[in-house]
């Protein structure tokens, strides 16, 4: 066959095509497959007395993950995993609820100001997440207006701050992830076919029915992207709970970080990482299956 | 076929009272008043931008009039939102819900009103049957052809038993052949159901084919309202004469008895209201003959003749009149003969 003026065969072309795949293949192999497999291998190893990795095959790390420790069974690790799942779900949900009005507001602006509003959503990203989180520490401190207001209303003991607390973690998480839901949702809302909304109105639909039948299905592609971009990183987030949650509000991200730094227990850290990965994949699988009856295209 | 859902209403009507619609500085409708008797096939005809779709959307409740009222059977609809008006719309794009099947689309309005499940089923079955959609009931809109989608849109609106059905250029997306078929079906459907249909179109052939009455619109105003033959045979303005079919417009002066055209005197059936203005005659009403007619005869020469199969068309000089006649005997350019502009075919325009 002739390919761009050159006489060749499909097999030759195929072989040449493989060369173009090489950079991506090396990338994935080096940064995903090998580390991933190392993590699996590591999770079956043991911690030595000085924090080194001892290559004995053992299921001890997974027993610990399920809560069996030196002092018998305790629900702590499972609690941390479930709490992480819960925080990620609540964060995603609140981001969705906040992002809908925001996306519609931005999409309904005249084109000239629309991108200004969009820029305002993106600008916080120009600041590092750690710095933004420290900023929240200050904003939620005892002598700042938010805490003062809560103290005045009797919701907070005098001279105490709003951080560290679960609330502070949620505030930090939601503000960090909101743009990840707003952006893809906005792109769906911008392309909305409003004649469907008019048709629903014409066919006696209430506002709620109009939203769920004429608008919601059209925003599903953007919403799906937003959920994936929020839920997965929220599951593993450790900067925000570390800085805003305090010692009593550990999430799985903190647990993993502790194993690799403070405790120097890499094998257990690897096992917890894999546990997190499995949980995230299960969550996505559930979403994917439930989304099957909805046309995502 | 199936009997009408409801006995046809009579006498009661839709009344548009001095409706004005402004979009910023632009006046889309400048005070339109209309009475549509129940059970009529009424057409709003006009070029794009004449305000016909805006008027339809005001009736549907999708647009709020700046001034004026929409009254249906004595009830003022103006303050009601679209979802509380007893009217339904067939949208130009059909606006079918892409994630719902044909059956679910048709049931949409019924479910919105929380109708009893059995009644929903009965009406959906009726709608599917009425528009021959049974084989497609479980399909999604993107699996249907344009004509099928249009029938789904019609069924979805009709099963609600609206008092008025609004149709916004429902045939513009269909090809010419299918359009002609659908026009006949639509007319038949309207007569069977005895419902009031209000159609918006820019296609004068379509308007003539389906309507009981036509409202010709121009720049936010009603130009002329009447039955298709009234509007065609007795256009009142140059715009009406030219928008519906072809017309010869002759400018001239009023005489004590008749009319002074550039090419001679003509007798008229009525006295013009002006001193100088236009009379119109349809090309097919001009009569050609070898002998001099008794009245309004002109000696003419054929400047150009075009054979069109079903008829032939010719331009005559020196009077610059267009004629449409039977295809035989074939006219030749340069041929000389007599043209008669019959008195009853000459229409005096208002301007």
């Amino acid at each position: 066959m002739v390919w761009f003026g050159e006489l060749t065969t499909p097999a030759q072309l195929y072989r040449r095509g493989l060369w173009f795949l090489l950079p991506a293949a090396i990338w994935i192999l080096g940064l995903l497959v090998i580390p991933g497999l190392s993590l699996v291998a590591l999770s079956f190893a043991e911690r030595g007395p000085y924090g080194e990795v001892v290559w004995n095959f053992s299921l001890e790390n997974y027993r610990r993950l399920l809560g069996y420790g030196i002092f018998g069974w305790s629900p702590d690790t499972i609690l941390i995993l479930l709490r992480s799942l819960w925080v990620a779900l609540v964060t995603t949900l609140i981001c969705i609820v906040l992002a809908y009005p925001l996306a519609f507001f931005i999409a309904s602006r005249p084109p000239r100001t629309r991108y200004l509003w969009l820029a305002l959503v993106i600008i916080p990203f120009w600041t590092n997440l750690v710095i933004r989180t420290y900023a929240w520490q200050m904003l939620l401190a005892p002598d700042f207006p938010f805490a003062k207001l809560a103290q005045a209303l009797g919701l907070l003991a005098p001279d105490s701050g709003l951080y560290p607390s679960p609330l502070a973690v949620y505030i930090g998480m939601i503000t960090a992830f909101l743009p990840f839901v707003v952006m893809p949702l906005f792109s769906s809302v911008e392309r909305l076919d409003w004649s469907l909304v008019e048709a629903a109105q014409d066919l006696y639909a209430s506002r709620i029915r109009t939203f769920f039948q004429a608008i919601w299905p059209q925003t599903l592609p953007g919403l799906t992207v937003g959920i994936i971009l929020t839920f997965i990183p929220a599951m593993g987030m450790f900067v925000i709970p570390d800085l805003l949650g305090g010692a009593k509000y550990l999430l799985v991200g903190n647990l993993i970080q502790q194993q690799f730094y403070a405790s120097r227990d890499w094998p257990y850290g690897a096992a917890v990482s894999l546990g997190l990965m499995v949980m995230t994949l299960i969550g996505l699988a559930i979403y994917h299956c439930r989304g099957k009856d909805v046309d995502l295209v | 076929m199936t009997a009408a859902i409801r006995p046809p209403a009579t006498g009661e009507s839709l009344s548009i009272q001095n409706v004005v619609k402004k979009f910023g500085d632009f006046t889309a409708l400048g005070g339109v008043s209309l009475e549509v008797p129940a059970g009529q096939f009424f057409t709003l005809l006009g070029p794009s931008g004449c305000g016909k779709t805006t008027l339809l959307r005001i009736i549907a409740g999708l647009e709020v009039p700046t001034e004026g009222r929409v009254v249906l059977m004595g009830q003022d609809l103006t303050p009601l939102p679209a979802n509380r008006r007893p009217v339904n719309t067939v949208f130009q794009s059909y606006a079918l819900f892409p994630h719902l099947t044909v059956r679910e689309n048709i049931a949409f309005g019924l479910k919105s009103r929380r109708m009893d499940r059995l009644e929903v089923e009965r009406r959906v079955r009726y709608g599917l049957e009425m528009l021959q959609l049974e084989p497609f009931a479980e399909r999604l809109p993107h699996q249907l052809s344009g004509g099928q989608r249009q029938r789904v849109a019609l069924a979805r609106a009709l099963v609600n038993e609206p008092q008025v059905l609004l149709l916004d250029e429902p045939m513009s997306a269909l090809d010419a052949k299918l359009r002609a078929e659908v026009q006949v079906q639509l007319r038949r459907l309207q007569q069977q159901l005895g419902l009031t249909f209000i159609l918006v179109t820019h296609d004068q052939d379509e308007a003539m084919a389906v309507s009981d009455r036509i409202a010709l619109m121009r720049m936010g105003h009603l130009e002329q309202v009447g039955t298709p033959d009234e509007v065609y045979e007795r256009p009142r303005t140059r715009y009406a004469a030219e928008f519906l079919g072809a017309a010869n417009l002759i400018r001239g002066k009023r005489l004590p008895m008749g009319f002074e055209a550039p090419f001679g005197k003509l007798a008229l059936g009525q006295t013009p209201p002006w001193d100088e203005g236009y009379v119109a005659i349809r090309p097919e009403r001009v009569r050609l003959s070898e002998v001099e007619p008794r009245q309004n005869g002109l000696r003419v020469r054929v400047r150009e003749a075009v054979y069109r199969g079903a008829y032939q068309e010719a331009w005559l000089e020196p009077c610059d009149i267009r004629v449409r006649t039977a295809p035989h005997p074939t006219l030749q350019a340069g041929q000389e003969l007599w043209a008669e502009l019959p008195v009853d075919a000459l229409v005096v325009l208002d301007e």
Side-chain angles (χ1 to χ4, degrees):
Chain A
M1 68 186 272
V2 177
W3 182 259
F4 286 101
E6 185 191 344
L7 195 62
T8 180
T9 64
Q12 263 179 343
L13 269 182
Y14 184 77
R15 248 173 288 145
R16 200 187 308 165
L18 285 180
W19 285 103
F20 287 101
L21 285 179
L22 202 61
I26 290 172
W27 180 274
I28 290 173
L29 197 72
L31 294 175
L32 194 73
V33 178
I34 293 174
L37 290 176
S38 314
L39 209 62
V40 174
L42 196 59
S43 72
F44 291 105
E46 277 176 359
R47 179 188 190 272
Y50 306 106
E52 73 273 29
V53 176
V54 179
W55 292 100
N56 288 337
F57 179 82
S58 135
L59 290 172
E60 184 54 30
N61 294 315
Y62 288 97
R63 277 173 49 84
R64 275 179 75 191
L65 190 61
L66 293 173
Y68 296 98
I70 318 162
F71 310 111
W73 190 80
S74 101
D76 286 355
T77 13
I78 290 179
L79 221 57
I80 289 173
L81 277 171
L82 288 180
R83 185 191 289 149
S84 304
L85 183 67
W86 175 251
V87 170
L89 283 176
V90 170
T91 300
T92 310
L93 196 73
I94 294 179
C95 280
I96 291 169
V97 171
L98 294 177
Y100 262 97
L102 195 53
F104 274 91
F105 173 81
I106 296 173
S108 66
R109 294 307 95 193
R112 254 178 336 122
T113 49
R114 191 180 303 162
Y115 293 97
L116 192 75
W117 284 103
L118 218 50
L120 289 180
V121 173
I122 299 167
I123 281 172
F125 276 91
W126 297 355
T127 312
N128 181 282
L129 178 65
V130 179
I131 295 170
R132 266 183 290 152
T133 310
Y134 273 118
W136 275 115
Q137 276 193 356
M138 296 174 75
L139 285 171
L140 299 173
D143 43 1
F144 249 74
F146 298 119
K148 285 269 184 246
L149 183 69
Q151 288 161 12
L153 291 170
L155 298 169
L156 207 61
D159 298 325
S160 56
L162 285 164
Y163 116 89
S165 70
L167 178 71
V169 175
Y170 281 118
I171 291 175
M173 296 274 263
I174 289 161
T175 49
F177 287 116
L178 188 59
F180 290 106
V181 187
V182 173
M183 296 298 292
L185 205 54
F186 165 78
S187 75
S188 280
V189 170
E190 207 184 19
R191 282 175 290 153
L192 212 64
D193 178 1
W194 287 97
S195 74
L196 294 184
V197 176
E198 292 189 340
Q201 295 266 288
D202 188 66
L203 293 163
Y204 315 102
S206 61
R207 280 159 190 269
I208 293 171
R209 185 164 160 81
T210 302
F211 177 78
F212 281 107
Q213 293 292 334
I215 294 176
W216 168 269
Q218 293 193 69
T219 59
L220 279 181
L223 188 66
T224 304
V225 174
I227 286 174
I228 290 170
L229 286 183
T230 302
F231 179 73
I232 296 176
M235 279 291 284
M237 174 59 78
F238 67 91
V239 174
I240 294 169
D242 194 42
L243 294 181
L244 295 174
K248 286 187 197 151
Y249 208 69
L250 276 187
L251 294 188
V252 65
N254 308 108
L255 188 66
I256 294 168
Q257 190 209 12
Q258 278 179 7
Q259 304 315 313
F260 281 96
Y261 287 87
S263 313
R264 291 195 55 79
D265 191 348
W266 286 28
Y268 182 50
V272 181
S273 299
L274 289 172
L276 168 64
M277 216 182 280
V278 168
M279 251 171 74
T280 310
L281 289 176
I282 289 172
L284 284 181
I286 290 171
Y287 181 81
H288 186 69
C289 290
R290 288 192 47 81
K292 265 279 171 355
D293 52 325
V294 187
D295 202 3
L296 291 182
V297 184
Chain B
M1 215 155 80
T2 340
I5 305 177
R6 216 158 44 88
T10 46
E12 300 148 321
S13 69
L14 176 71
S15 162
I16 315 285
Q17 298 171 2
N18 193 32
V19 165
V20 176
K21 178 67 188 180
K22 289 183 179 152
F23 295 104
D25 292 338
F26 175 70
T27 304
L29 291 173
V32 171
S33 295
L34 258 184
E35 296 288 329
V36 182
Q40 265 202 356
F41 202 129
F42 194 93
T43 298
L44 300 171
L45 174 67
S48 60
C50 72
K52 57 191 193 300
T53 298
T54 305
L55 184 56
L56 195 83
R57 290 170 58 82
I58 285 173
I59 300 171
L62 297 170
E63 211 81 70
V64 180
T66 313
E67 276 173 49
R69 301 201 305 159
V70 177
V71 178
L72 179 63
M73 302 193 179
Q75 188 199 3
D76 188 359
L77 295 186
T78 324
L80 294 181
N83 59 357
R84 294 182 47 206
R85 295 190 184 200
V87 300
N88 289 107
T89 310
V90 175
F91 291 86
Q92 184 169 12
S93 63
Y94 310 140
L96 302 178
F97 300 109
H99 61 293
L100 299 181
T101 62
V102 168
R103 182 187 299 283
E104 290 164 336
N105 262 285
I106 295 174
F108 191 94
L110 308 171
K111 285 187 178 161
S112 292
R113 290 194 288 179
R114 299 173 195 284
M115 210 167 267
D116 171 64
R117 198 176 55 83
L118 287 174
E119 179 65 7
V120 172
E121 261 174 41
R122 189 185 73 78
R123 290 209 196 181
V124 169
R125 214 177 318 123
Y126 169 79
L128 288 169
E129 189 189 327
M130 177 166 58
L131 289 146
Q132 292 109 52
L133 287 165
E134 291 110 323
F136 317 111
E138 310 309 329
R139 293 212 195 154
L140 290 170
H142 70 86
Q143 297 166 317
L144 301 176
S145 72
Q148 290 160 353
R149 276 182 225 177
Q150 196 234 22
R151 299 213 303 274
V152 177
L154 258 173
R156 184 176 73 172
L158 285 171
V159 292
N160 298 294
E161 302 183 1
Q163 279 161 10
V164 179
L165 182 75
L166 307 173
L167 302 119
D168 184 6
E169 308 235 10
M171 288 169 252
S172 58
L174 306 180
D175 63 65
K177 192 158 172 274
L178 186 57
R179 199 180 306 169
E181 266 171 51
V182 172
Q183 284 167 5
V184 176
Q185 287 169 1
L186 205 59
R187 178 73 181 143
R188 196 184 302 147
L189 195 65
Q190 187 267 337
Q191 284 176 342
Q192 270 170 4
L193 299 175
L195 270 175
T196 311
F197 276 33
I198 297 183
L199 172 75
V200 157
T201 183
H202 63 269
D203 180 342
Q204 45 113 358
D205 287 328
E206 185 171 298
M208 302 250 241
V210 299
S211 316
D212 288 315
R213 280 209 300 159
I214 295 174
L216 180 64
M217 294 185 70
R218 177 195 188 186
M219 288 160 64
H221 290 275
L222 291 180
E223 189 81 357
Q224 187 169 354
V225 183
T227 60
D229 59 303
E230 272 170 12
V231 181
Y232 185 77
E233 308 276 349
R234 297 273 144 209
R236 277 213 294 270
T237 61
R238 283 169 67 189
Y239 176 79
E242 287 186 314
F243 195 84
L244 279 100
N248 293 297
L249 296 176
I250 306 162
R251 185 172 175 80
K253 290 192 182 75
R254 183 175 64 176
L255 294 177
M257 293 290 288
F259 176 76
E260 166 94 67
F263 43 79
K265 287 179 189 169
L266 293 174
L268 294 178
Q270 59 197 115
T271 317
W274 32 254
D275 290 330
E276 196 171 344
Y278 285 93
V279 296
I281 184 167
R282 296 287 178 197
E284 70 274 16
R285 299 294 299 273
V286 177
R287 250 178 255 153
L288 298 176
S289 65
E290 296 294 336
V291 292
E292 181 175 2
R294 264 180 291 151
Q295 207 179 17
N296 286 359
L298 304 169
R299 189 62 184 164
V300 294
R301 193 170 55 247
V302 176
R303 190 175 67 218
E304 205 179 329
V306 180
Y307 174 76
R308 298 224 190 249
Y311 61 90
Q312 63 181 332
E313 227 170 344
W315 283 262
L316 308 175
E317 45 183 28
C319 52
D320 196 28
I321 278 178
R322 186 174 170 188
V323 195
R324 189 178 282 192
T325 72
H328 297 285
T330 313
L331 296 169
Q332 301 295 332
Q335 190 181 346
E336 297 212 352
L337 35 68
W338 287 95
E340 184 193 352
L341 311 182
V343 171
D344 64 343
L346 282 166
V347 182
V348 177
L349 303 180
D350 283 350
E351 50 197 316

